[in-house]
Amino acid sequence: LSYLFKCKIVVIPLKELDISSGQLMIQQTMQLGKPIIVTNNHGVYNYIDDGKTGFIINNDKETLLDKINALYKDDELYNRISQNQKECFQKHFSMLNLGREIGKII
């Protein structure tokens, strides 16, 4: 987690489109407000709203470099995605929200 805390952007390359993976890293990253670039995978759509809380890209070098450059060069974009991530995490994935959702079921 110390590496995650110190980084500016998190890139999560997922090899298989149909194998669900990466969710824990996505949630930890969102909690810290670090913009995420993740390769396309069916398991990420419940977490990342492309362009709002991060970027979902095809597995190609040029697109990855474009998104990294955009986040480094555009402070407004970086800050907007960071804030959107934190809000999304608190609303959907925090322990407080989890407790509320379980309370509704009980």
Side-chain angles (χ1 to χ4, degrees):
L1 288 176
S2 66
Y3 289 116
L4 188 59
F5 181 77
K6 294 175 187 176
C7 75
K8 183 167 176 96
I9 298 169
V10 174
V11 177
I12 305 173
L14 302 172
K15 185 175 180 179
E16 301 292 332
L17 182 64
D18 295 325
I19 296 174
S20 179
S21 60
Q23 292 88 350
L24 180 59
M25 180 57 71
I26 290 171
Q27 287 184 14
Q28 290 173 331
T29 301
M30 291 176 80
Q31 186 176 15
L32 294 173
K34 306 292 183 170
I36 301 169
I37 303 169
V38 62
T39 54
N40 192 11
N41 175 286
H42 294 300
V44 302
Y45 294 107
N46 291 330
Y47 301 92
I48 302 295
D49 183 354
D50 188 39
K52 183 175 180 184
T53 59
F55 294 107
I56 301 170
I57 64 169
N58 290 324
N59 192 3
D60 73 272
K61 180 181 175 180
E62 292 305 316
T63 304
L64 174 60
L65 292 174
D66 287 345
K67 297 302 181 189
I68 290 172
N69 284 329
L71 288 165
Y72 268 94
K73 291 179 180 177
D74 187 342
D75 289 338
E76 191 277 327
L77 173 66
Y78 183 94
N79 292 330
R80 181 171 31 89
I81 288 179
S82 178
Q83 186 61 37
N84 288 343
Q85 284 183 325
K86 290 176 187 178
E87 290 171 5
C88 180
F89 179 84
Q90 289 301 319
K91 183 176 179 182
H92 298 290
F93 307 114
S94 68
M95 293 299 281
L96 178 61
N97 184 65
L98 178 61
R100 287 180 181 148
E101 294 299 316
I102 291 172
K104 289 177 189 176
I105 294 169
I106 294 174

